[in-house]
Each structure stands twice: as C-alpha cells, then as structure tokens.
Amino acid sequence: MAGLLDPLDDAQRLLVDIVWTRFVDAGKFPKYFYIEYYMRGAGYQAEAVLKSFPSVGKHLRAGGYRAVDWWANGLSPNLEGPVRLTLAGLHHLQDDPQAGAIRRGLLAFMRELTKAQRRILDSPFERPNLEVDLWEALKSAGEGQGVEDHIVLIADQEWPGIRFQQQPARGELGVLTEANFFTTDAYLNAVTAALTPPAAPAELPYIEPRGLLRALNFLDVTCELVLGASLVPRPPMDRSSLLAMDAATEAEFQAGVVVLAEILRDLLVPGNNPSHALGRLQGHLVSQLPVIDETAVQQAIERLDQMRVVRNSFVHPKPSPSLLQAHHALGLTFPIRDFGAAWDSVRAHAESSLRRLQEEIQAARP
C-alpha cells in the first residue's frame, strides 16, 4: 500500500505542480473547476487523480490526511472549492526553495507547540492556555521570512499536527501528542503511525508452553549436524525458563520478549556486519547451503526480527510504522491490552519461524 512518503506518479505530480504554482504566485489556492479543466486538457480526470493520493486517518476525518485536500459535495469535489496542499504535498517539492521555507517554518512552529505543552506540568488542576502565536514562533526560530502568509494557509489544513485559527494566527498541537521534528520525513512517519488504526491481528495459533524451547533446541541440533557448528547460545537456565512460563502482566510479557530477543541477537553467526546476528543469518545460511530456499529463510528471519522491534519499543516507546507493522505481524494489538495472549502469540510465531528455519536447513543438507 502506498504511503505519504512514496514518490508520486506523473498525474499526481502534475496536479501538485499546478496547485503549487498557482498558490505560490497568488497567495491562495486555486479552485477545483480550474484544476479539473487543466487536468482534462492534459488527458487526466482530476477527481480520479485527487482520490489516488495515499491518505491516513479516514476513520477520524472524511478523506483522511493526504498530500492534496479539497472541498467536497458528497463524494465529489466542489467546483467552487479550493484544492489545497498540505505539508505532505510540500514534501514532494524538495527542489523548490519557497516550499522548503514553508516546510521549515511549519516544523519550527510545531516544535514551539510541543514546548507549549510543557505548561501542563506547572498546572495540574487547571488546563493552561497552550496556544502559540505563529508570527512570534517564526520570528523566534528565524524561519518563514517572506512566506508567512503562505504558512498560515498551509497550517490551516495541517490538522494532524496543528489545531489552527487564521485570525489571529494561533494554534496548538492537533492529533499528535508532540511534534518535535526537523524533517518532513520524520513528521509524516509520525502522522502515519498516529492516524493508522490498529489492524486486525493475525490469527493466534495454539502454543504448547515448552514448544519454543524445543524449537530452539531442534534448530541448534540440526545446525550442528548439517553445518558442523552450534547456532543457538546457551542462556542461563533461570532466563531460558521464562520462555516456558505464561505472562499475566506487562512486566512478565516484557521479560519474556527480552529473553527471546537476546537469544536471537546472540545467535552464533560468523561476522559482525550488521551487528545483529539475525541480519547476518540469511547470508550465512545461503553461503553454507547454496540450494536452501532463500525466500523461505528470508520470511522466517523477517518474522523473528519483528520481535527485536517490539523489544526495542520497551526502551523507545514512540509509535512508528515499523512498530505497528511488527505488532501486526506477530498478531498483537496496538497498544497491547491482553499481555497473556500477546506472549502466547509471540511465542507461537517464534516457534513457527524457528521450525521453518530448521526444516529448510535440514532439507538443504548436502
């Protein structure tokens, strides 16, 4: 599925360029009737192109957040309504200096909005005023000179990051709980994570409590027989025993995932690039067993690597597309509410992936 950061196709690029040119020249957004006529002359259907832009957050707002926004009559654009760019749209104008100035100004404004949220810590009983004046924020940051009016019009539509009013030009944070970003890539990744509803988790397979330990042992024995070397490190028994224990609390879930992630991190794979053993495992197996099913090995390793992503989130808990993807791949809701079911699902996916590796290694033996 295409995302906010993915390159535009020719029709999307043309539409963004038209809207941007009119906007930067006149200081206001062109109406849909103009866009429709221009695109028709170029051989495109404007409505279809508008609706082809990737979007997120449709469960919160009709149409969601996307590179180009418009007024609608029902499902179709309003002929007299403006067609407007968001910060996601400006992201695709990397070579334009004015677009860059607007992007930097908006991000600087959002950083000031993030700072304003700290006033809450000084006022536990009455919500403080969290609004920030746009002009003052831009002046303080030294950004946006010469394009302030353009920034106002973009900010007015940037609802994931900003709740904004034009008169006076003031705002506070929108959907995001913080927006301390210096690049549109980081900002749009955060928007995608915040506005993506939890996906339906993968089917939870049954797991026998000692199944994961047996899968690790079978894999290690197979590697010794086929490759002539052990693969799985021997963790202390008090640590490895956690893999056979159920989890009822968040702490127990995290303890189990940490042990599993450490075993995977310390697999006895030759080399040191990349530093994580799972990153070296596929290349090692292919070099030792040229006939091995590389696709099957890659899929198993990718699933195991999702456990590393989940483990790292205990230290860096901010949601991100990679973290959401890891939860989905492991059959976990985001955020996790049932830690017992989550641990069972992680163990089941780990056991399945380890058995897949063991079977592929066994099948590819000389």
Side-chain angles (χ1 to χ4, degrees):
M1 178 181 294
L4 298 176
L5 293 170
D6 289 348
L8 303 180
D9 62 29
D10 291 342
Q12 292 168 337
R13 166 62 68 179
L14 176 61
L15 195 149
V16 166
D17 287 344
I18 296 168
V19 176
W20 169 250
T21 301
R22 300 286 83 80
F23 172 65
V24 76
D25 288 345
K28 56 184 178 181
F29 289 113
K31 301 292 182 67
Y32 176 69
F33 69 83
Y34 173 84
I35 298 299
E36 192 278 333
Y37 184 79
Y38 194 108
M39 294 295 288
R40 181 153 39 96
Y44 298 108
Q45 184 181 9
E47 181 173 348
V49 177
L50 282 174
K51 293 180 178 179
S52 71
F53 285 94
S55 67
V56 293
K58 288 186 177 181
H59 63 298
L60 299 176
R61 170 171 161 169
Y65 173 78
R66 62 182 77 211
V68 184
D69 197 10
W70 66 89
W71 284 5
N73 286 334
L75 297 177
S76 298
N78 185 323
L79 283 172
E80 294 292 335
V83 178
R84 302 166 297 207
L85 296 179
T86 65
L87 194 50
L90 297 186
H91 172 77
H92 298 290
L93 298 165
Q94 293 293 324
D95 296 330
D96 191 292
Q98 287 181 288
I102 296 172
R103 289 195 302 269
R104 292 192 299 273
L106 272 172
L107 292 174
F109 182 43
M110 284 190 274
R111 293 195 296 272
E112 289 300 315
L113 301 184
T114 301
K115 292 179 184 177
Q117 294 288 298
R118 298 171 189 164
R119 299 171 190 163
I120 294 175
L121 297 177
D122 298 323
S123 183
F125 307 111
E126 184 174 345
R127 188 176 188 273
N129 179 12
L130 303 178
E131 288 190 337
V132 174
D133 183 273
L134 174 65
W135 308 106
E136 292 180 1
L138 294 177
K139 183 178 180 181
S140 175
E143 298 286 0
Q145 287 82 1
V147 291
E148 294 90 345
D149 291 337
H150 293 78
I151 291 176
V152 168
L153 295 177
I154 300 290
D156 194 42
Q157 300 304 313
E158 202 60 33
W159 66 275
I162 307 170
R163 287 200 294 268
F164 191 76
Q165 61 180 26
Q166 290 194 35
Q167 297 294 334
R170 301 178 64 82
E172 60 180 273
L173 284 182
V175 177
L176 298 181
T177 56
E178 65 173 47
N180 198 32
F181 306 111
F182 288 85
T183 67
T184 52
D185 293 59
Y187 168 69
L188 295 175
N189 277 327
V191 166
T192 299
L195 299 188
T196 301
E203 181 180 353
L204 176 66
Y206 171 77
I207 181 171
E208 196 279 323
R210 291 172 294 180
L212 178 53
L213 287 169
R214 282 201 296 265
L216 285 165
N217 185 59
F218 289 159
L219 174 62
D220 195 46
V221 170
T222 300
C223 286
E224 288 183 348
L225 291 174
V226 176
L227 301 175
S230 180
L231 178 68
V232 180
R234 305 296 183 189
M237 290 184 64
D238 64 331
R239 298 283 284 165
S240 60
S241 64
L242 292 177
L243 301 182
M245 297 175 63
D246 294 336
T249 66
E250 181 177 10
E252 291 171 348
F253 168 75
Q254 291 189 355
V257 172
V258 167
V259 171
L260 177 56
E262 288 177 349
I263 292 173
L264 297 174
R265 178 197 65 194
D266 296 334
L267 290 177
L268 306 175
V269 183
N272 53 24
N273 186 26
S275 59
H276 197 280
L278 280 178
R280 306 191 301 271
L281 182 56
Q282 180 178 344
H284 171 62
L285 293 178
V286 171
S287 68
Q288 297 297 307
L289 302 168
V291 299
I292 200 168
D293 186 339
E294 189 169 355
T295 299
V297 168
Q298 179 182 1
Q299 291 173 347
I301 292 175
E302 286 178 349
R303 182 61 53 86
L304 292 171
D305 196 52
Q306 303 296 351
M307 298 161 200
R308 179 177 62 87
V309 175
V310 172
R311 184 260 179 271
N312 289 344
S313 72
F314 303 157
V315 180
H316 306 287
K318 291 183 180 180
S320 67
S322 61
L323 181 57
L324 294 174
Q325 180 182 358
H327 276 69
H328 178 67
L330 298 175
L332 310 179
T333 61
F334 187 87
I336 295 171
R337 295 181 176 85
D338 186 336
F339 292 100
W343 178 226
D344 282 346
S345 190
V346 168
R347 288 191 292 180
H349 284 292
E351 179 187 356
S352 174
S353 297
L354 291 168
R355 287 189 181 279
R356 184 71 180 274
L357 283 176
Q358 183 262 329
E359 291 167 358
E360 296 303 332
I361 293 171
Q362 180 74 18
R365 66 187 186 278

